[in-house]
Structure formats: C-alpha cells, structure tokens
Amino acid sequence: MRFITQVLSGLALLPLASGCADIPPETLEEPIGEVAAPLATTDERFGFYGVGAQTFAHTFGSNSYINIGNQNDPARPRVIQALEPAMDPLPGEKVVVRVGLFNARLDGYGYGLDTFAASVRSFAKRRAEFYAYGFTKPTYRWFQPDVVMVHNIEKDQITTAIRRWRSKGIRLSDITFEIGNEPNYYVSMTPREYAYLYKQYHWTIKSEAPEVKVALGSLFAFELMPADARDQIGQLITLAGMKEYDSAVNSGLGKLSEPVVFLSTLGTSAVFGLGAEFWLWLTSAGERGIRDARNLLTSRFFAKTSTQYVSEVLDQLPADIAPDVISFHAYPADFKNHYGYDQIDAITDKLADDLRTLAYDKRRNVYPPAECTSDYCTRTGPEIFITEMGNINPYVSEGELALRLYYTVGHLKESSTVDRWFWYKTVGQDAQFELLKNATGVEPPFTRLTINPAYVAPKLPGRVPCAELNYTGGLYYYLATETFCE
C-alpha cells in the first residue's frame, strides 16, 4: 500500500498553507513497511485520545495521550477506569485524564445524547399536540446535573491514583486533569453549575498535589460551525430520537425537517382521507412543534461564544482559582458552506489567543506577570490544549479530511497559539457519529486513523502496523515525526 505516496503526490500539486514546510520531492516515493520503527525525531505536542491512545502515541513517537474517565462499564458504572492501576502512565508520559463527566455515565447521574434527544423529541411532539388540539402548553425542563454527587463519587479515586503515581515515580507535573466534557454543549450545563463542579475538583486535586495541572474545559468550539451547520445540527439533535422511522432516517438532512416526519409521531395514520384542510392544519402544528424545538436548542446551545462561557465560569469561581489549562475541541462542522484552510487557522488562533488573554486578564493575581521588552511580551496565562480534533462533517471525503489535517496541523506546529493537540479518535466505528451516518446515508471516514474500523490496537509494547494506517493516519504520522511510517 502506498497511501503516503498518493496523498502527498496530491498535496504537491497544491499551494501549501502559510506555516507548512514544503515536502521534499525525494520523499514522495519513500517505501512503506509493515511495522512502525522507533523514531529519531518527534513532536511532543501531538497526542491521541480514545481506544488505543497510548499505543498510537508510542507508535508515533509521542508520550502524549488522553485517558477518558468513566467509560460506561455497566458492571462498574462508578469506577473511573482511567484511574485504575492497569491504566497508570509510564514515567515520562504526559497524560490528560478526564473526570467529572456527565455524558459518559451509566450510574444515574449522567445524561447522554440519546436521553437528551428523546426528551427534545417528546417536547416537540407535545408542543405539536398543543398547537393541533389546544392542550396545556408544555414547557421544557432542562437536565440539572448533580455536580456534588459526581464529585463525591470520584474524589477518593482521584486521590488514591495520585498517591499511587507518586509512589511509582511518575512526575506529577506531567499529569493534567480535565474536568468535564463539553459543558457548553450536551448536556448543556450553565456556567454556574460548571463552575461549582470545577471548583470541587480543583480543590481536591491541588490539595493532594499542587503540581498536577487542572484544565478547564473541554469546550465545543462553536466558532468553527457556520450558521447553516448550526441549523442542521439542531435538526439532527431534535430528531435524534426518531431514528426508528425509516422514511425520515433514509431521506437525508434536507428531509428531516419536513412536517410529515412529525405526523408519524402523533398517531395520525388515519388522517388520510379526512381532506386537505385537516391535513394542512395538522401539518402546520407539526411545523410549529419543530420550530419550538429548534428555538429551544439555539436558545441555550449556540447562545454563548466559547469566551463568553469561560468568562461567566471564571466570574463564578473564587478569585484565587485559575485554570492551568483551558481546552477546546476543534471540529470544523461546516456541512455545506465549507471554511477554507485559512479560515480554520484564523478562527483557531483567535479562539486560543482570546481564551488565554481572557483568563490572564481575570486572574492577573494568580498567573505570573508578563515580562515585556520594547517589542515583545512573554506569553502568560493558561496553556491552551485542543483535546479533540478531527472530523464530524459527513460530507467530507477521506481525501479532503487528509488535506484539512495536513494544513491545520501544519499551521498549529508553526503558530504556537495552541500548546498541545490530540487527535480523536484513532480506531473504531465512530459510534458517537452514528446519527450523522444514519441521517445522511453515507459512511465517511470521520476521524479514525486506521483502514479497518474494527482494528484493535495492540497492547504495549506492540505497535500499530504502518500498513493498517489510512491516508489520514499516514499523513498524521508524517506531520508528527517528519518521516514516513515504515
């Protein structure tokens, strides 16, 4: 397989984005072997998140990866698997550990996408019934996470793990705890709720090991989502609980908003033959129900920019608490109107700079002061991580995904606005994106780095065979190591 040759040959015909070094022509025909060899050069800012993250990090010559916290094990729903001894980092590894999750739990304190989607579907249906039949107008009750209970479940596990790492000689300054996942998205927590959650974990971790880093985040960067994509995401969330209706699922994004979809939820199969006037009246009720569900979503999910959300969180925290890291997720969700590479780079840079500046301005009493010369000031404030990056655009082909990866990561390497970034996800069926697959009727590569979606990364000290990497995986290897996987 010569996936690198094919991808880079295509890239060679295009002007490279600013900040990306030209690829020497003689490297385009470099042979590709079966097993990744130890590397002479690597970039430690590259990391991986998801199943096999540690193995991929070692294959790519990096020691940087993320361990998710609660992994939805029904047999042990309250156990943070990332904190168990089998998952302990090796000396020298720079590991991010996610805790305080609400959308990856089975212990009754979480609230996943399926549950949320069903609640929105139910709200839209009840609103449509109200418009059709004049029932009492229903309101929507937002999920309120039990932030106190979740911290109480996890705090002893966190303390035990930190003490064990210390006894093993792990450098605790290499460990970062990231508190929560996309609090500004599903399952939308208010800044006040999230600030309380973060505060509890910050105190627990810092009282045990002040050198451990604590990250605020990880935010879903809506800034990388144009208005038309926000509208379509809203449609998908609204109708996520309706996948059982094949006619809706198989008809594509454009059809999901048609009123006939809602008619099937109202038990109105008998309306045929009742006349066009009745049909139009009931159709209008369905349309208004969909409208209310969309308005519900946009009133909360897309109402605040990332910096606005962080600003409100910091305002709710004690003045002596400043995050060591602020993280966000970079998924250009530009379904129809694609952002160009320069636009993606500019948005990412601005968001990283804005978040760092915002935190510094609000916590100058905590962060080291900036040292300035006549024309330059040292950067201070929190580190900025992208703890997930990849693709959620079902209309992007694998070749286009590889190009985006090449330009965006090449820019990150040169810009220094982001301190570390993590690719999501390395292997698997991309189960989190099944809704997008079902709605569009296509199966794009999304984010995995392997050819075979069922591929299982070997346990260390094994390595991922180069022949198993897809275009995106092979290109990511080249960007991380400046050499070919062989």
Side-chain angles (χ1 to χ4, degrees), residues 439-451:
T440 61
V442 296
E443 295 197 8
F446 287 113
T447 69
R448 69 173 184 266
L449 301 181
T450 58
I451 296 171

Side-chain angles (χ1 to χ4, degrees), residues 35-221:
V35 180
L39 299 174
T41 61
T42 188
D43 191 331
E44 289 289 344
R45 293 173 297 174
F46 283 70
F48 298 86
Y49 165 51
V51 177
Q54 186 186 45
T55 300
F56 269 82
H58 284 235
T59 295
F60 282 59
S62 172
N63 287 326
S64 184
Y65 60 93
I66 295 176
N67 276 335
I68 194 170
N70 185 295
Q71 295 217 345
N72 249 350
D73 184 348
R76 301 179 302 158
R78 296 190 177 195
V79 174
I80 307 178
Q81 292 175 308
L83 298 180
E84 294 187 283
M87 301 291 287
D88 282 351
L90 301 174
E93 291 184 335
K94 300 178 183 297
V95 178
V96 177
V97 181
R98 283 184 168 173
V99 294
L101 303 179
F102 281 94
N103 60 345
R105 308 182 71 94
L106 288 180
D107 50 15
Y109 301 107
Y111 193 70
L113 173 59
D114 288 343
T115 306
F116 170 71
S119 72
V120 175
R121 188 269 302 265
S122 175
F123 168 74
K125 175 177 177 290
R126 288 183 288 117
R127 278 293 179 100
E129 290 173 337
F130 162 74
Y131 291 124
Y133 306 122
F135 299 151
T136 302
K137 190 173 185 177
T139 58
Y140 186 81
R141 291 189 59 188
W142 289 95
F143 171 73
Q144 290 187 302
D146 192 338
V147 294
V148 175
M149 179 63 73
V150 170
H151 172 256
N152 288 339
I153 290 172
E154 297 187 349
K155 63 181 180 180
D156 290 341
Q157 297 178 66
I158 291 171
T159 300
T160 298
I162 291 175
R163 292 175 180 175
R164 187 176 64 248
W165 296 338
R166 183 185 288 117
S167 70
K168 290 184 173 183
I170 304 299
R171 188 168 55 193
L172 295 182
S173 60
D174 285 341
I175 306 298
T176 301
F177 277 92
E178 187 179 62
I179 313 305
N181 181 58
E182 297 181 351
N184 63 330
Y185 202 27
Y186 334 108
V187 287
S188 187
M189 283 195 285
T190 66
R192 178 184 294 273
E193 289 168 334
Y194 179 71
Y196 189 87
L197 177 79
Y198 179 87
K199 177 177 64 177
Q200 303 305 311
Y201 282 88
H202 182 96
W203 283 339
T204 293
I205 294 165
K206 291 293 188 179
S207 63
E208 180 62 35
E211 65 270 42
V212 170
K213 297 175 183 177
V214 184
L216 190 75
S218 47
L219 302 162
F220 187 97

Side-chain angles (χ1 to χ4, degrees), residues 11 56 70 72 77 126 137 161 167 176 195 209 239 254 272-273 282 307 341 359 362 370 384 391 394 443:
L11 290 172
F56 269 82
N70 185 295
N72 249 350
R126 288 183 288 117
K137 190 173 185 177
S167 70
T176 301
L239 300 168
F272 298 100
L282 199 55
T307 51
Y341 307 120
K362 285 182 174 287
I384 303 296
N391 175 50
E443 295 197 8

Side-chain angles (χ1 to χ4, degrees), residues 181-337:
N181 181 58
E182 297 181 351
N184 63 330
Y185 202 27
Y186 334 108
V187 287
S188 187
M189 283 195 285
T190 66
R192 178 184 294 273
E193 289 168 334
Y194 179 71
Y196 189 87
L197 177 79
Y198 179 87
K199 177 177 64 177
Q200 303 305 311
Y201 282 88
H202 182 96
W203 283 339
T204 293
I205 294 165
K206 291 293 188 179
S207 63
E208 180 62 35
E211 65 270 42
V212 170
K213 297 175 183 177
V214 184
L216 190 75
S218 47
L219 302 162
F220 187 97
F222 293 130
E223 289 76 5
L224 287 166
M225 180 186 294
D228 69 312
R230 296 185 187 191
D231 181 64
Q232 292 186 65
I233 285 286
Q235 292 180 39
L236 289 169
I237 300 169
T238 305
L239 300 168
M242 302 177 66
K243 289 186 290 184
E244 65 272 22
Y245 298 103
D246 293 336
S247 62
V249 170
N250 294 327
S251 57
L253 278 170
K255 297 291 185 181
L256 285 177
S257 61
E258 289 188 358
V260 69
V261 177
F262 257 105
L263 296 180
S264 62
T265 73
L266 301 178
T268 56
S269 58
V271 302
F272 298 100
L274 294 180
E277 188 174 321
F278 182 82
W279 176 266
L280 291 173
W281 164 68
L282 199 55
T283 298
S284 174
E287 288 179 329
R288 295 171 75 182
I290 291 178
R291 177 204 65 192
D292 289 356
R294 286 183 186 163
N295 290 341
L296 176 78
L297 294 170
T298 55
S299 70
R300 192 152 180 177
F301 289 147
F302 308 123
K304 300 180 190 295
T305 65
S306 297
T307 51
Q308 287 172 336
Y309 191 90
V310 170
S311 179
E312 293 184 30
V313 169
L314 292 174
D315 288 342
Q316 297 292 328
L317 289 173
D320 62 339
I321 290 183
D324 301 300
V325 178
I326 295 180
S327 60
F328 64 91
H329 295 168
Y331 292 114
D334 47 353
F335 290 164
K336 293 296 186 182
N337 298 320

Side-chain angles (χ1 to χ4, degrees), residues 385-400:
F385 290 178
I386 295 178
T387 48
E388 291 184 25
M389 62 182 298
N391 175 50
I392 59 171
N393 189 337
Y395 300 103
V396 170
S397 66
E398 187 169 9
E400 173 66 16

